[in-house]
Each structure stands twice: as structure tokens, then as C-alpha cells.
Amino acid sequence: VLSLLLDAYVKRDRVCLIGFRRDRAEVLVPVTSSVEVAQRCLAELPVGGRTPLAAGLVKACEVVRPLLLKDPELRPLLVLVTDGRGNVGLDARPNGRATDEAIALATEIGADRRLSWVVIDTEDPRGIRLSRARDIAAALGGPCLHINDLRADPETYRASQTARGADAGLVDRILEADSRRRGAITDFESLRAEQNAFGKKVAKAQGEEKQQLLAQVKQLAADVKAAQAEADAAQLTQQELVAQFPNLI
């Protein structure tokens, strides 16, 4: 997000950040070109909980449409970062068909050709792939990008950048960021498993041995927290870089 903001600053554009979680969507970074404002808001970025995907789409339209009324020549670019798995409806209640509701809404929104959309698919490839982010992208009329596509065929993406006259090195930076992200996640999961194993040892230990193990557990907890922060930071860096990638040509 900050990478996009810095690019917007150079081009004298403005940006806005909307978060959607639990039962609502909210503007986290109001429309701005201020790096300082964005940094303060991103520091408080909430994560986790349910996913009211449709509410996020509605909130995005609530933000951009007044701007279009003021400036009909404005052409906003909206970047949706999601795995496509909505589970809260527009009525703010859990709903097993929330993604279908979001796709129907996206179809209506996609009819407005003043809006350009890019969907960044964050679905975990290690689980069952539903590819709902692609469905949402198709409804919005925009491309859907997933790091796995770029990793499997980087030359196609480099060629696209070269044909556009853009920086082909962006592809390599995305792949490097992805490698750091996967390494950080592996480190975190390894430390977490070790932490769980130590917890069982502490429960069985007594006396001096237990005190020694408790000290090790404390250090391990700090290491796990640091590894989690590193994985989160690597994930954010990767998403920022992917968001800079335009449509394939």
C-alpha cells in the first residue's frame, strides 16, 4: 500500500485504503496523497475475523462515486486483495452464499467502465482451491493475479512488461519477495511446532528442570512472535509489489 502511495505521490494521484472484516467495511486511509497519514493508519490496520466481501465493494463505490461526480474525467483504479471467500452478507450476518452475493454485486459494479479493477488473489495454494477471486475479477471486468501464475511462467510477465515499456525487473522483485515470504512462513511454522513440543515437556517437568524449560519457552515465545512479524511483513511487501503489476498484454 505504501509503495502504491509513493507512486501516487510522484504522479500527484491520491489513494485510499478500505478494510473489510467481521460485519462491516470501513475507510482506514481516507483519500490522500500523504505518506505520513497512510503510515499512521496502516500501523493500526485490523486483521482477522469474518469477511464481509460485498460490504467492501459497496464501501469502495461509496468512496469513488462522489469523486467522479466532482471530476467526471477521473478514472479510479481499484485493487481488491482477497481470497474470494466471503462469509458475511450485506445484512452483516454470516451467510454461506456471501461470495455469490458479492459476485452479483460485482457484476453490477463492473458495468461502470469508469472504474478499473485489479484483483489480487491471496487464496492459500496449500488448501483446496476454490478460485472465487477469479470469479469476482471476471464480474468486475478486471484481471486476477496470483503469485503462483507468475512463479510458474515469469517470462510471460517479463515480456508483458517489456512490451509495455515498463520495468521488467518488477517480476524478479515479486519473485524475490515471494521467496522471502515462503521462507518466513516456514521458519514461523517450525518455531511454532517447537514451542508446542516444549509446552508438553514443561507440563511433565518438575523442580529445576521445569524452571530451565520455562526460560526456554519464554525465549521461544519471543522467537515465534518475531517470526510471525517477519512473515506478516514479507506478505505485505509481496502484496505491495504485485499490486504494482498492470494487466498482461
Side-chain angles (χ1 to χ4, degrees):
V1 174
L2 284 177
S3 295
L4 289 173
L5 183 63
L6 291 171
D7 184 61
Y9 176 78
V10 172
K11 296 177 181 177
R12 298 296 186 267
D13 288 337
R14 292 171 293 167
V15 299
C16 171
L17 174 64
I18 295 169
F20 46 96
R21 63 192 291 264
R22 294 181 179 169
D23 60 354
R24 71 195 67 185
E26 57 184 332
V27 175
L28 303 176
V29 178
V31 178
T32 182
S33 57
S34 168
V35 175
E36 291 78 11
V37 170
Q39 286 176 325
R40 287 200 301 271
C41 293
L42 284 173
E44 301 171 359
L45 178 67
V47 295
R50 296 182 183 275
T51 306
L53 185 52
L57 294 171
V58 169
K59 183 62 70 174
C61 291
E62 289 176 355
V63 170
V64 298
R65 284 181 173 156
L67 299 176
L68 286 165
L69 286 175
K70 284 186 178 181
D71 182 3
E73 299 302 313
L74 192 67
R75 291 297 177 265
L77 170 64
L78 297 96
V79 180
L80 175 62
V81 181
T82 181
D83 62 3
R85 301 188 183 196
N87 50 28
V88 174
L90 281 172
D91 59 1
R93 296 181 179 180
N95 185 340
R97 299 189 61 82
T99 297
D100 293 330
E101 180 185 50
I103 290 172
L105 180 61
T107 301
E108 295 179 20
I109 295 171
D112 188 343
R113 293 307 175 189
R114 298 172 300 174
L115 307 179
S116 296
W117 289 86
V118 175
V119 177
I120 308 299
D121 184 358
T122 60
E123 188 170 46
D124 191 342
R126 295 172 296 181
I128 298 174
R129 295 290 300 274
L130 301 180
S131 299
R132 301 314 303 271
R134 291 189 181 277
D135 297 335
I136 293 168
L140 290 169
C144 180
L145 303 178
H146 195 287
I147 188 62
N148 282 357
D149 300 334
L150 188 149
R151 191 188 301 142
D153 186 16
E155 285 307 319
T156 295
Y157 288 81
R158 292 191 187 100
S160 176
Q161 287 290 86
T162 300
R164 192 184 293 278
D167 179 16
L170 175 60
V171 174
D172 298 302
R173 292 196 294 277
I174 291 173
L175 291 174
E176 289 170 6
D178 178 55
S179 178
R180 290 196 300 273
R181 178 189 67 85
R182 287 183 292 147
I185 290 174
T186 298
D187 291 343
F188 167 74
E189 290 177 344
S190 176
L191 284 167
R192 189 67 181 270
E194 188 177 351
Q195 183 185 40
N196 291 338
F198 256 88
K200 294 178 181 178
K201 288 182 180 179
V202 170
K204 296 178 181 179
Q206 294 181 350
E208 185 177 342
E209 180 189 8
K210 187 165 188 173
Q211 294 305 312
Q212 292 175 346
L213 287 173
L214 283 172
Q216 290 177 279
V217 166
K218 186 176 180 180
Q219 180 58 51
L220 241 137
D223 292 343
V224 167
K225 186 176 181 180
Q228 176 71 73
E230 176 65 23
D232 290 345
Q235 174 79 17
L236 180 59
T237 298
Q238 181 202 49
Q239 290 178 353
E240 289 171 352
L241 289 169
V242 170
Q244 296 177 38
F245 200 95
N247 298 349
L248 279 175
I249 60 173

